[in-house]
Amino acid sequence: MKPDYEKYEGLISGDGNPRWSQSFYYNGYDPKTRSGVFIRIGVLENQRETNSWLIVFQDGSPIFTRTNLNLPYTEERPANGINVAGMHVHAEVPLKKTRIKFESQDFSLDLCWDELHPMEDCIAMSHDRDGSFASEIAHIHLEGVSNVSGHWMHRGNRTDFDGKGFRDIAAGPRNWDALRHYRLAWPVFENGMALAGIHGISTAGQSAYMRMFHDGERWLRVKQLDDQMTFAEDGLSVASAEWSFVDEKDRNYSFTAKPLFSWLFPLDTFVLREQLMEYRLADGTIGYGLYETGYRLPWKGIEAQ
């Protein structure tokens, strides 16, 4: 019997871990308007804190940025609507449709995430129930692909949005400091395929993976994943990447990635770089999506850690 994933849109009380967290993440990109959005809400029950970010960009440049750390704790969750720093996030149909609204003096937004590929637990698909991701980052990490539509107003100018993106829901401890580094690729390709791939490196130097692949019909396990990337001069962003993987049907895939937008988020002793990438499969199929990297501070590069 399939687990009751819908409950994770609501309040999931912790197990006593001081770092217990629930998080809700949404992104999207529209290649026609060359615009995109990154949204995240984190709720830390035992630390009595909430955090969020809302980043909107167009033509490679930010047009609205709001990052909030150490906000007061809230028991609201998307199931019944959560209000954080001007955002209202409501799971109108749990796991399948979420509407996000935001209003400020010079910027407003109204977007919907409608299911394209259903949400699945990437930790379970990766057989990582006892691994470092499951023990330090989340007990469950639901990921899925959505059609993203709506509009925003920026200083009186309206942009209509019609794109695609990933969303995720996580519950469990969130100990960023347990990771030395990680890299994530979430491409959504024009042929309907999508990859949820994460490679983490612990402070002890051990690798762990979360990985699953949607072939346009269903989510499949990934048997093998190889990720290579070239850092930009700043050392905290990626200039290019090349990934390859083998799915559970022994089919081989590879793709490259180049950045279209980049933003850095502070997380105390850790920083996180989000980049919107243009992806390209070996057969030339184009895709778009998130490329995310995280760094334990002080960061001196992979080789120096």
Side-chain angles (χ1 to χ4, degrees), residues 149-162:
S149 61
H151 73 278
W152 59 68
M153 297 288 294
H154 179 230
R155 298 190 180 122
N157 296 312
R158 177 180 173 121
T159 296
D160 291 310
F161 191 95
D162 184 11

Side-chain angles (χ1 to χ4, degrees), residues 49 145 181:
E49 293 178 1
V145 181
H181 168 68

Side-chain angles (χ1 to χ4, degrees), residues 181-187 189 195-200 209-211 222 224-230 238 240-246 252-257 277 279-282 290-293:
H181 168 68
Y182 77 92
R183 69 278 305 265
L184 169 156
W186 279 355
F189 293 100
L195 175 74
I198 309 175
H199 176 194
Y209 295 88
M210 291 197 296
R211 53 199 186 189
V222 172
Q224 183 178 334
L225 179 69
D226 181 68
D227 51 280
Q228 303 294 327
M229 61 189 191
T230 301
V238 175
S240 64
E242 184 172 350
W243 288 44
S244 61
F245 63 95
V246 181
N252 291 267
Y253 300 91
S254 64
F255 60 83
T256 58
M277 294 282 197
Y279 292 93
R280 187 181 295 268
L281 287 168
L290 180 67
Y291 197 97
E292 185 177 274
T293 48

Side-chain angles (χ1 to χ4, degrees), residues 41-55:
I41 294 174
V43 188
L44 306 173
E45 182 181 57
N46 293 325
Q47 296 180 46
R48 313 308 290 174
E49 293 178 1
T50 304
N51 56 68
S52 69
W53 63 61
L54 167 59
I55 309 296

Side-chain angles (χ1 to χ4, degrees), residues 112-124:
C112 280
W113 275 256
D114 289 289
E115 179 187 284
L116 177 60
H117 300 328
M119 301 195 77
E120 187 55 78
D121 183 8
C122 197
I123 290 177

Side-chain angles (χ1 to χ4, degrees), residues 253-268:
Y253 300 91
S254 64
F255 60 83
T256 58
K258 67 176 184 179
L260 302 178
F261 175 73
S262 177
W263 199 255
L264 188 69
F265 297 92
L267 292 166
D268 296 338

Side-chain angles (χ1 to χ4, degrees), residues 6-246:
E6 290 187 8
K7 68 181 181 182
Y8 291 99
E9 295 272 25
L11 174 64
I12 302 295
S13 292
D15 59 4
N17 190 306
R19 298 180 187 267
W20 184 266
S21 168
Q22 282 186 266
S23 61
F24 308 90
Y25 179 87
Y26 313 84
N27 71 41
Y29 184 72
D30 177 1
K32 184 177 180 180
T33 59
R34 302 173 306 282
S35 59
V37 59
F38 300 144
I39 295 172
R40 185 184 187 274
I41 294 174
V43 188
L44 306 173
E45 182 181 57
N46 293 325
Q47 296 180 46
R48 313 308 290 174
E49 293 178 1
T50 304
N51 56 68
S52 69
W53 63 61
L54 167 59
I55 309 296
V56 181
F57 59 93
Q58 193 160 22
D59 290 320
S61 297
I63 62 172
F64 184 84
T65 64
R66 179 171 287 195
T67 303
N68 305 273
L69 303 177
N70 305 108
L71 295 172
Y73 176 76
T74 177
E75 291 195 352
E76 295 178 343
R77 298 295 186 272
N80 296 310
I82 181 172
N83 297 281
V84 178
M87 280 192 297
H88 179 73
V89 179
H90 183 207
E92 296 182 345
V93 181
L95 304 183
K96 295 182 179 295
K97 181 177 182 178
T98 293
R99 187 174 186 181
I100 300 180
K101 294 182 178 181
F102 174 83
E103 287 219 22
S104 68
Q105 182 174 353
D106 297 313
F107 183 83
S108 63
L109 172 149
D110 188 347
L111 292 175
C112 280
W113 275 256
D114 289 289
E115 179 187 284
L116 177 60
H117 300 328
M119 301 195 77
E120 187 55 78
D121 183 8
C122 197
I123 290 177
M125 292 287 288
S126 307
H127 296 297
D128 190 55
R129 286 296 186 193
D130 299 316
S132 58
F133 277 121
S135 63
E136 299 288 354
I137 299 301
H139 291 335
I140 187 167
H141 208 280
L142 303 174
E143 297 167 15
V145 181
S146 299
N147 292 311
V148 188
S149 61
H151 73 278
W152 59 68
M153 297 288 294
H154 179 230
R155 298 190 180 122
N157 296 312
R158 177 180 173 121
T159 296
D160 291 310
F161 191 95
D162 184 11
K164 292 181 173 58
F166 261 88
R167 56 172 298 203
D168 79 43
I169 299 173
R174 182 56 59 96
N175 181 14
W176 294 109
D177 209 51
L179 292 175
R180 175 187 298 175
H181 168 68
Y182 77 92
R183 69 278 305 265
L184 169 156
W186 279 355
V188 181
F189 293 100
E190 293 176 343
N191 60 7
M193 297 195 315
L195 175 74
I198 309 175
H199 176 194
I201 303 172
S202 72
T203 53
Q206 298 172 327
S207 287
Y209 295 88
M210 291 197 296
R211 53 199 186 189
M212 62 183 187
F213 166 62
H214 202 288
D215 65 355
E217 296 182 0
R218 65 185 181 95
W219 287 110
L220 301 167
R221 289 189 169 87
V222 172
K223 298 171 63 175
Q224 183 178 334
L225 179 69
D226 181 68
D227 51 280
Q228 303 294 327
M229 61 189 191
T230 301
F231 284 99
E233 289 185 5
D234 64 7
L236 294 173
S237 57
V238 175
S240 64
E242 184 172 350
W243 288 44
S244 61
F245 63 95
V246 181

